[in-house]
Amino acid sequence: MISLSSAQARILASVGPLRPVAIPLDDALGCVTSVPLTAEEAVPPFANTAMDGFAVRASDTAGAPVRLRVVGTLPAGLDPAGLFVGEGEAIRIMTGAPIPDGADAVVMVELTSTEGDDVVVSESVPVGNHLRSAGEDLSPGQEVFPAFTVLGPGHLGVLASLGYRKVPVFSRARVGVLSTGDELVDDGSPLRAGQIRDSNRHTLLALLREAGCEAVDLGIVRDDETSVRKAIEEGLAATDALVTTGGVSMGDFDEVKKVLTDLAGDLAWMQVAIKPAKPLAFGMVGEKPVFGLPGNPASSMVSFELFARPALRQMMGYPSPRRSPVRAVVDDGLPRRPDGKLHLVRVASSFGDDGRLHVRSSGGQGSNLLRSMALANALALVPDGDGVPVGGEVDVLVLA
Ligand code: AMP
Ligand code: MG
């Protein structure tokens, strides 16, 4: 058996970044910039008012209260050319409208009252009052985001404000999902003796989408070497990576293990000192990784989380592709017996009144028990030993 960290390190060392592409701005959420992005425009593009009110000369307000003559109105979006604030004058102005020539401050409407064609300003204001200068947020030539920035909603907004229509990012990983097993059905028909329904493919397709990948459903393949080999080869031809489930343990019909060893070399199968998800087949077929995850439903999810997700995110340019563990308080005790493995215990986590993260088991921990996985939002990393008592501390990977 090898340790979790060495298995992860081996996998991460094998995969490199996918091709850089330019994709439409609105498709780029969760993608990672492949080059530094610079501003070619100023944001805001012109000096404008942060408040509804009156554009004035600050010096005119010195002896407030003062009466100024209103010589125009400036809504947002209007070209201010031709408008001018002279001595003793004011222009009615709306948030976002450009500051007219002559004015150097804005008095907010709350500090004014209108009297006929005049406005009475009740307080004096300094030069620059409520003024947003051109380029206050971004100026032309400035680096906005460096390469390897993970794009969130705010980033997309900034890029939109600069006029970006397409964004240079590393390609999303296009990942095929293949279930293996003679027992699997997925057509809604009544189960015959010995059959079960394929759940893994659906969880994995969803996990991939959640990880920011493009998920491709490659269906179910039967447990014979020729079919598995054909499915993997054909699947890889249309994708950047494959995730398969089943067929990687010690059974007589564990064909994925054999095929991957054949396609990717003899280091393709490993046993990792973790529970669940001990067996793992991993191989690079050419430049493309294949993750042969175990078939038990909870194992396949844990294995995806620990091995496939970090590697796929590294391919998509993520600078820190693994989740960072956080410390949590154990509310109900996580007992276990020494077995030389790191246990990944399905837990429900939430913040307590003490401001700390608390966890409790989300149910049965058998590798076949999927409901407790659905109810968990974190995996507690319980080291080899006797477990963690009530009130003890444990590292957890928060999955949400
Ligand atoms: P295997 O790794 O192929 O030996 O499968 C281990 C266990 O997981 C067996 O009980 C399988 O029936 C079950 N299993 C394998 N693939 C799936 C799947 N796609 N969905 C649900 N259970 C599965
Ligand atoms: Mg099987």
Side-chain angles (χ1 to χ4, degrees):
M1 284 199 295
I2 64 171
S3 71
L4 172 62
S5 54
S6 40
Q8 284 179 322
R10 222 184 89 191
I11 290 171
L12 288 177
S14 310
V15 298
L18 289 168
R19 63 210 164 270
V21 289
I23 63 170
L25 182 72
D26 290 322
D27 296 340
L29 180 66
C31 289
V32 182
T33 57
S34 55
V35 292
L37 302 185
T38 49
E40 287 182 13
E41 298 175 358
V43 178
F46 50 86
N48 66 94
T49 172
M51 287 282 179
D52 295 320
F54 291 86
V56 300
R57 296 169 173 243
S59 56
D60 280 351
T61 68
V66 293
R67 175 184 288 262
L68 303 173
R69 198 154 53 83
V70 180
V71 297
T73 299
L74 251 180
L78 201 80
D79 183 349
L83 286 174
F84 185 78
V85 176
E87 212 172 299
E89 294 179 346
I91 285 180
R92 189 185 302 277
I93 194 166
M94 316 303 149
T95 304
I99 301 296
D101 283 343
D104 59 13
V106 169
V107 183
M108 64 176 172
V109 74
E110 290 86 339
L111 296 182
T112 65
S113 55
T114 36
E115 291 180 10
D117 288 344
D118 293 344
V119 60
V120 175
V121 175
S122 61
E123 281 177 27
S124 70
V125 295
V127 170
N129 197 51
H130 296 317
L131 230 122
R132 306 190 284 212
S133 50
E136 181 183 335
D137 197 3
L138 301 162
S139 47
Q142 183 186 337
E143 179 177 298
V144 186
F145 304 124
F148 300 99
T149 298
V150 181
L151 296 173
H155 297 89
L156 300 186
V158 168
L159 296 176
S161 76
L162 287 165
Y164 275 81
R165 306 295 300 276
K166 291 195 159 189
V167 199
V169 294
F170 294 104
S171 175
R172 272 186 208 284
R174 191 175 146 80
V175 187
V177 181
L178 196 61
S179 287
T180 73
D182 286 342
E183 72 277 35
L184 301 176
V185 290
D186 191 29
D187 57 4
S189 58
L191 294 174
R192 293 202 309 272
Q195 291 186 325
I196 62 165
R197 302 195 192 278
D198 178 0
S199 62
N200 291 352
R201 199 157 39 85
H202 300 284
T203 357
L204 289 166
L205 289 166
L207 283 168
L208 283 166
R209 287 199 297 271
E210 200 174 58
C213 303
E214 188 188 333
V216 183
D217 186 353
L218 299 177
I220 302 171
V221 63
R222 299 296 153 206
D223 286 321
D224 79 84
E225 196 170 331
T226 315
S227 312
V228 169
R229 189 185 177 109
K230 185 164 174 280
I232 289 181
E233 285 178 335
E234 285 179 3
L236 277 175
T239 56
D240 301 312
L242 279 194
V243 173
T244 70
T245 74
V248 297
S249 5
M250 308 291 280
D252 289 347
F253 305 100
D254 287 333
E255 306 294 348
V256 175
K257 187 169 94 175
K258 295 180 208 159
V259 170
L260 212 50
T261 302
D262 194 31
L263 288 175
D266 58 2
L267 284 174
W269 186 69
M270 47 192 137
Q271 290 198 291
V272 189
I274 55 174
K275 186 177 180 175
K278 180 171 74 162
L280 172 70
F282 168 78
M284 297 297 291
V285 180
E287 295 287 285
K288 299 179 180 179
V290 181
F291 302 90
L293 311 183
N296 274 305
S299 307
S300 72
M301 286 187 80
V302 168
S303 192
F304 178 89
E305 165 62 28
L306 297 178
F307 305 114
R309 185 180 185 276
L312 294 168
R313 281 164 82 91
Q314 179 164 296
M315 290 164 71
M316 294 190 289
Y318 276 73
S320 314
R322 288 155 59 171
R323 297 188 211 266
S324 306
V326 293
R327 211 73 182 141
V329 183
V330 174
D331 281 353
D332 61 348
L334 301 175
R336 55 162 296 180
R337 280 192 293 278
D339 60 1
K341 296 180 200 159
L342 173 73
H343 284 209
L344 293 120
V345 179
R346 285 152 252 171
V347 291
S349 72
S350 59
F351 282 96
D353 293 340
D354 56 0
R356 304 193 61 193
L357 192 66
H358 289 250
V359 296
R360 52 176 63 237
S361 167
S362 64
Q365 299 291 327
S367 59
N368 57 323
L369 303 176
L370 193 50
R371 186 161 177 273
S372 60
M373 192 76 210
L375 299 180
N377 62 0
L379 294 172
L381 304 168
V382 181
D384 191 23
D386 298 317
V388 187
V390 175
E393 289 192 351
V394 70
D395 277 341
V396 303
L397 299 173
V398 177
L399 302 176

